[in-house]
Amino acid sequence: MTTRTENWLTERWGRWVVPYAALWITMLIGGVVVVVLALVSAEVYDNVVDEAGLANLDKPTLAFMEQLRSPGLDAFITGFTNIGGGIGMPILGSILTALLIYTSRSWRPLILIGGAAAVSVTVTAVGKKLIGRTRPDHADAVPPYETSPSFPSGHTLNTTVVIALVVYLACLQIKRTGARIALIAAGAIFIVAMGLSRVYLGHHWMTDVIIGWVLGLAWVGIVILAHRLFHVLRHREHAGPAPTFEHPAHLHEGAAGRAAGGPAGGTTQTDANDADTPGPAGRSSASG
């Protein structure tokens, strides 16, 4: 009885505790790194705002955007930018995360997107508090006006993090290359458009948006690294190589296992469902 209990604990430790611990630790360390990057970007901004640097983009870009304005376009872009706000993005992110959870039969999209969004909101709050940069004058902005500090752009940063991770996790479930390309392009256009909409409306300077993109993409890269590390640990023990979009090595191992008369790849059904292998309907059985 003791041996069976020890074996069960050892199996669960290798299958769940170690991989998830690696996932959380990597995201925690990465979150600290991104917050530090926010602090550094704040210091850099202080040093260049009155010098010949990125800040020289701000007024010319805003002036160019003002030339493009019209009542109809103003209304349309105001509606679009609200999607990335404090109400719109949580709603959109929750819907997309719920779809990923349903299609992947896994709670990890909630862990990844929810944890990443929490850090991006924190970075936004820290940056605004430290810099306290004033937004463009109301005379240069489209109402309704915003009064919170300008640097960095929270709409841009949070949209970059949420949409980029949704695209990444969705691509793990999609088998067709064309569909992946279309999804990545749509996500990139949405992220870029959200940032530019903030400048068009005169709610942010261009440097606010650029820093939002940079910090957002840096944080997304760290979260994806944590996710891949999770799979390396999970599948090294139980299901062969870490998953990729195509999984050729894993599929070959599964075929070899069936030819030998054993379970596919020598793994349990639980492992197979967790392996991100392509499913029969043109997408993988799990997004990881």
Side-chain angles (χ1 to χ4, degrees):
M1 182 66 178
T2 302
T3 301
R4 292 181 59 186
T5 302
E6 290 176 351
N7 290 340
W8 184 85
L9 290 174
T10 301
E11 179 185 1
R12 288 297 181 269
W13 178 269
R15 181 176 296 178
W16 298 109
V17 177
V18 173
Y20 272 104
L23 176 66
W24 283 112
I25 290 172
T26 304
M27 289 185 66
L28 178 62
I29 295 174
V32 172
V33 170
V34 171
V35 171
V36 171
L37 284 176
L39 301 178
V40 172
S41 68
E43 183 66 25
V44 170
Y45 167 76
D46 275 341
N47 292 332
V48 304
V49 67
D50 293 325
E51 305 289 339
L54 280 177
N56 283 343
L57 291 172
D58 290 339
K59 290 184 178 180
T61 305
L62 179 59
F64 173 76
M65 292 294 187
E66 288 183 273
Q67 296 175 7
L68 302 178
R69 291 176 185 168
S70 67
L73 189 58
D74 292 354
F76 173 79
I77 293 183
T78 297
F80 172 74
T81 200
N82 288 336
I83 298 174
I87 297 176
M89 185 48 60
I91 293 175
L92 177 61
S94 297
I95 293 172
L96 295 176
T97 301
L99 289 174
L100 288 170
I101 291 172
Y102 175 77
T103 55
S104 68
R105 302 297 192 270
S106 168
W107 289 104
R108 279 191 289 280
L110 177 61
I111 295 173
L112 294 172
I113 297 174
V119 171
S120 71
V121 169
T122 301
V123 170
T124 301
V126 168
K128 289 181 181 294
K129 184 175 181 179
L130 287 176
I131 291 297
R133 187 186 193 188
T134 303
R135 293 177 185 265
D137 292 337
H138 288 175
D140 297 321
V142 176
Y145 305 118
E146 300 186 27
T147 57
S148 62
S150 183
F151 184 94
S153 168
H155 282 66
T156 304
L157 174 56
N158 297 323
T159 296
T160 299
V161 169
V162 172
I163 298 303
L165 285 176
V166 167
V167 168
Y168 163 70
L169 292 172
C171 281
L172 289 177
Q173 298 187 54
I174 298 173
K175 184 177 180 180
R176 298 180 183 88
T177 301
R180 291 178 189 155
I181 294 174
L183 183 61
I184 292 170
I189 291 171
F190 188 91
I191 290 169
V192 171
M194 183 59 66
L196 295 180
S197 74
R198 307 304 292 159
V199 181
Y200 174 91
L201 296 172
H203 295 169
H204 279 284
W205 302 104
M206 191 65 205
T207 44
D208 304 334
V209 171
I210 291 174
I211 293 299
W213 283 329
V214 171
L215 291 177
L217 291 175
W219 177 224
V220 167
I222 292 171
V223 174
I224 292 176
L225 174 63
H227 185 230
R228 308 319 289 175
L229 177 60
F230 171 87
H231 277 299
V232 167
L233 295 175
R234 282 278 286 141
H235 295 280
R236 183 178 294 170
E237 288 256 345
H238 301 285
T244 63
F245 286 161
E246 300 299 342
H247 314 286
H250 182 74
L251 294 177
H252 293 162
E253 287 182 3
R258 288 191 296 272
T267 63
T268 63
Q269 182 65 33
T270 300
D271 293 329
N273 289 338
D274 189 54
D276 292 340
T277 52
R283 61 185 188 188
S284 64
S285 60
S287 71

